[in-house]
Amino acid sequence: MSQADQPGYADLDPAIAGDLVAANRILARHGVLDSFGHVSVRDPRNPARYLQMQAIAPRDVAIDDLITFDLDSNALDARGRPVYRERFIHGEIYKLRADVNAVVHSHSPTVIPFSVTEKPLRAIFHNGHFLGGSTPVWEIRKHAGENNNMLVLSQELGRSLALALGQGSVVLMRGHGNAVAGPDLKTAVFRAVYTEVNAKLQMQAVLLGGPVKFLNEFEQRKQQNVDRPWAMWKKEVGME
Ligand code: MN
């Protein structure tokens, strides 16, 4: 193994590790992650690996918590540290989507009702454009049966979730949460935050009654610059 192939973070660009710490803290601050949920980034040194923190509350992570995984979600350098049990969500999405370089799994609360009813979560305002005309819902019972424990604890379940995501940005997990994919970490964080915001706004619009005007197919293709919110959110968590 050359040094560049070594797992761990000794040779990792410190900006990547720092951004992963920031992503955890930002998502916790916005109520997307609480004591549960996780975020990962594809390893820029080796696309067949990803980086994720050890299994602790996302608000509390530091660079030393970083662990390297292969795409089968085996930890390469855990050294006894606990790993997130649902990490397969990340590995299986990276396997199927070469364009995805960051993934967030959360239980962000306002999104849950859209996973258990017939009303699709869809783009209702410009910052939610990436949700498109409807968001797929993954039903664990179809893959793990009625007697399931609601969690994605295997490659097989992760793969079926990744297939439900398809080429989209977000997939809901019935009665559980959602998974968000992005081309880079700051975009995945932006989408995870605004998936929750869009769900709130959609709920409020429906409460006002009458037909709701959603974004049309052209408006859904808006190109979002995520640099400004990313810079502001990093400042808010004390990481400039
Ligand atoms: Mn979960």
Side-chain angles (χ1 to χ4, degrees), residues 38 86 89 105 107 151 173 176:
H38 20 86
E86 292 192 287
I89 295 168
H105 166 56
H107 312 144
L151 301 178
M173 303 158 72
H176 176 171

